[in-house]
Amino acid sequence: MLEEKNQGSTSLSSIGEFGLINHLTNKFKINHKSTVVGIGDDAAVINNSGELLVTTDMLIEGVHFDLSYVPLKHLGYKSVMVNLSDVYAMNGNAKAITVSIAASNRFPLEALEELYNGIKTACDLYNIDLIGGDTTSSTSGLIISITAIGNVAKHKKVLRSTAKANNLILVTGDLGGAFLGLKVLEREKEVFKVNPNNQPDLDQYSYIIERQLKPEARKDIIELLAKLEVQPTSMIDISDGLSSEILHLINQSNLGCRIYEDKIPLDPTVINACEEFNLDSTTIALNGGEDYELLFTIKQEDYSKIKGNPNLTVIGHMSDPKDGSYLVTRANELVEIKAKGWRFFNDQE
Ligand code: ADP
Ligand code: MG
């Protein structure tokens, strides 16, 4: 990390578009019976059962990632995760992706190989078929657009708009780590600019840096909920931060809510890093984003099924829309939940 990159020097123009596509994709195997035709024809062919889920995310260099501290392999992995996360947030099975890339001639073949190594690791671990994409040049920088395709049985799909008053609100894992990981990486980038020989000791930050660079989509939770026979009443993945995601559920389900500050799950390393950066940990958990955890609601009668599970935390409940949407602080005060600009956030942005 933070070193001058020496990635090799095979120029993209020397290998040609078809050579490039073949070179990048020939190690990928098709695993799903539902993939009838993968890479190589004008369109992929999928034999689908249930309802089809389709979701796309685009990542642009300089906007969504900074290659001075994001290794290309991690970028490939994360680009897949952010898409799979959206399929799981519908309670679906992710099955296939297409990957479209635009790269400037600044990128040698070896750089794109690294990117595809990360994409392949993600496909192998999450059992995803790479079934197509597009490859083109860009005048500057790198653009990655991934589409994920999945399916879900009609009666299993979970929307944002179907929560009910008094449903319990749950979150998976812990929050705020990815944002703080980014803070650490940005700080080290500045230090590196001043003194390139200073190799930082980042061991104490490994958890939060990993949360930023290598998030995991919560396929395990979808499997867990199926095993526990819990059908969420609404669900969303946490890409922008807890407060904006909870507002999506509330607005689309036409409800209000109470979230309890003391229930929000925080890892000890998140609390330590907040102290170091002089940030309020609740603010970071609410607004940090990029944690790719799942936020969902369940019926109260399902509580006994999820009780005590270390992956799941009840953080509040839905209520009547006229009750509004509030965070109940540790001091028992009510603070209205807003998408951004909440509490101390204004002067930190
Ligand atoms: P077309 O000209 O018909 O759009 P392309 O020559 O762009 O076809 O692509 C040939 C095949 O390679 C198609 O199956 C396409 O989906 C696949 N493909 C192209 N670029 C990529 C990529 N970056 N990653 C994965 N598959 C790709
Ligand atoms: Mg094409």
Side-chain angles (χ1 to χ4, degrees):
M1 195 191 330
L2 302 169
E3 296 148 50
E4 283 303 311
K5 304 219 166 63
N6 184 9
Q7 280 156 334
S9 56
T10 313
S11 79
L12 293 182
S13 53
S14 71
I15 163 163
E17 186 187 337
F18 299 115
L20 174 64
I21 295 170
N22 184 45
H23 188 88
L24 294 177
T25 61
N26 65 14
K27 288 198 206 78
F28 286 77
K29 301 228 158 32
I30 296 296
N31 284 319
H32 290 284
K33 278 205 227 72
S34 54
T35 306
V36 182
V37 176
I39 291 171
D41 216 309
D42 295 311
V45 180
I46 300 169
N47 193 348
N48 192 51
S49 63
E51 292 184 319
L52 191 67
L53 301 170
V54 181
T55 175
T56 297
D57 263 294
M58 188 181 273
L59 298 171
I60 297 183
E61 185 179 358
V63 179
H64 301 103
F65 57 88
D66 180 338
L67 288 175
S68 56
Y69 52 74
V70 178
L72 280 157
K73 186 171 179 185
H74 287 72
L75 180 64
Y77 190 88
K78 182 169 175 175
S79 312
V80 178
M81 286 307 126
V82 305
N83 279 279
L84 301 187
S85 180
D86 282 320
V87 174
Y88 300 135
M90 303 298 286
N91 206 29
N93 308 308
K95 292 216 159 162
I97 54 168
T98 64
V99 176
S100 297
I101 50 173
S104 69
N105 55 15
R106 185 181 115 223
F107 292 88
L109 174 65
E110 290 77 5
L112 297 186
E113 266 173 10
E114 272 302 286
L115 181 77
Y116 269 73
N117 281 341
I119 293 173
K120 180 154 193 308
T121 304
C123 286
D124 289 344
L125 283 174
Y126 285 75
N127 194 19
I128 302 295
D129 290 350
L130 175 66
I131 59 164
D134 199 18
T135 309
T136 182
S137 55
S138 98
T139 47
S140 72
L142 179 65
I143 299 170
I144 307 162
S145 173
I146 297 190
T147 296
I149 297 156
N151 66 358
V152 63
K154 193 173 179 180
H155 65 285
K156 291 283 183 191
K157 75 168 173 288
V158 180
L159 306 182
R160 297 177 178 184
S161 55
T162 41
K164 296 279 179 293
N166 300 321
N167 283 173
L168 300 175
I169 302 171
L170 282 84
V171 70
T172 62
D174 53 74
L175 299 177
F179 176 84
L180 289 163
L182 183 63
K183 283 287 230 193
V184 170
L185 290 168
E186 281 173 345
R187 183 178 69 185
E188 296 311 323
K189 181 184 172 181
E190 293 309 310
V191 172
F192 181 78
K193 272 193 208 157
V194 178
N195 180 3
N197 296 321
N198 179 18
Q199 279 299 320
D201 177 10
L202 297 176
D203 276 2
Q204 71 184 106
Y205 306 112
S206 58
Y207 178 70
I208 55 179
I209 290 176
E210 187 152 321
R211 295 287 285 166
Q212 169 58 223
L213 293 181
K214 196 174 166 290
E216 300 292 345
R218 300 302 311 250
K219 179 186 188 184
D220 59 328
I221 298 293
I222 301 311
E223 291 165 352
L224 174 72
L225 293 174
K227 200 174 95 203
L228 297 175
E229 297 181 2
V230 173
Q231 170 76 8
T233 55
S234 70
M235 184 151 57
I236 189 168
D237 68 323
I238 304 185
S239 48
D240 294 337
L242 179 61
S243 50
S244 61
E245 313 305 358
I246 194 88
L247 289 175
H248 284 305
L249 295 184
I250 284 156
N251 293 335
Q252 296 192 32
S253 297
N254 190 25
L255 294 171
C257 76
R258 293 288 180 276
I259 301 280
Y260 295 87
E261 182 179 22
D262 62 346
K263 304 284 186 214
I264 296 174
L266 299 172
D267 189 83
T269 50
V270 166
I271 296 170
N272 290 343
C274 279
E275 278 173 15
E276 192 182 328
F277 283 96
N278 198 17
L279 295 167
D280 175 64
S281 57
T282 303
T283 307
I284 297 311
L286 285 168
N287 298 311
E290 289 204 290
D291 288 313
Y292 297 102
E293 295 295 342
L294 292 169
L295 174 70
F296 61 99
T297 52
I298 64 169
K299 293 178 188 150
Q300 291 218 5
E301 66 227 46
D302 283 335
Y303 176 67
S304 58
K305 298 183 194 167
I306 58 95
K307 195 176 150 204
N309 190 298
N311 290 298
L312 306 175
T313 309
V314 178
I315 58 167
H317 59 84
M318 292 297 192
S319 65
D320 198 87
K322 71 174 179 344
D323 298 335
S325 308
Y326 289 96
L327 179 81
V328 183
T329 68
R330 288 194 186 86
N332 218 16
E333 287 162 355
L334 293 182
V335 180
E336 194 179 355
I337 297 174
K338 296 198 179 126
K340 286 272 168 183
W342 185 83
R343 241 200 218 179
F344 309 123
F345 216 64
N346 278 336
D347 44 20
Q348 280 161 11
E349 277 186 328

